[in-house]
Amino acid sequence: MRLALPALLALLPLAAPARAQTAAAPAAAPVYELRIYTPAPGKADALNARFRNHTLTLFARHGMRNVAYWNELPRADAPDGRVVYILAYPSREAREADWKAFGADPEWQKVVAESEANGKIVTKVESIFLTMTDYSPPLAGAR
């Protein structure tokens, strides 16, 4: 993942408007969260389906901004690859509140129960918090 992280971060400029492009009064810098999910063996398709069919919509409902999602190419220690994505929040405090509300959402709890009826679909979650540098190119609009 060491080599993939710089490549993923280089793609951030394609994801959303930059602070400098905002006409309103300057706001606090958004906080980005890079999340990496290792699927349980044979569960990569189920994990991607859960994101595709449920999670992104629920994230947005709870104030999380979906920036981008990737599937890591398979490798020896992760034969199914991993799901890598970036969310954005107005602040770290907003992030904490958003995740608390998301985790308590009855619809999310139902999705988890149904998608994990035959066992966990994720074995490991990594989270890295980021802020934009002052020299980063402006983020482009979402696709």
Side-chain angles (χ1 to χ4, degrees):
M1 186 65 196
R2 289 184 190 148
L3 297 177
L5 182 58
L8 291 174
L9 295 177
L11 293 174
L12 272 175
L14 305 175
R19 291 186 320 262
Q21 296 172 339
T22 304
V31 172
Y32 296 92
E33 184 177 12
L34 172 70
R35 295 180 62 89
I36 305 165
Y37 284 38
T38 303
K43 301 287 186 170
D45 288 343
L47 179 57
N48 278 295
R50 185 165 79 181
F51 274 104
R52 181 183 307 104
N53 300 328
H54 305 285
T55 310
L56 273 75
T57 302
L58 289 166
F59 280 168
R61 181 183 305 161
H62 290 286
M64 303 167 181
R65 183 163 49 95
N66 294 290
V67 175
Y69 289 77
W70 297 270
N71 283 303
E72 179 184 38
L73 295 175
R75 53 181 216 210
D77 63 337
D80 292 327
R82 296 179 292 181
V83 174
V84 179
Y85 66 99
I86 296 176
L87 296 173
Y89 317 90
S91 67
R92 187 71 182 261
E93 294 77 19
R95 185 263 184 208
E96 299 306 320
D98 293 348
W99 274 96
K100 184 176 180 180
F102 171 77
D105 186 311
E107 185 176 345
W108 171 244
Q109 293 172 356
K110 180 181 176 191
V111 165
V112 170
E114 290 173 356
S115 64
E116 296 186 347
N118 295 318
K120 295 278 187 188
I121 63 175
V122 175
T123 61
K124 182 179 178 184
V125 176
E126 300 171 65
S127 179
I128 301 167
F129 293 96
L130 310 160
T131 57
M132 189 69 65
T133 63
D134 61 352
Y135 53 87
S136 178
L139 295 175
R143 63 178 182 131

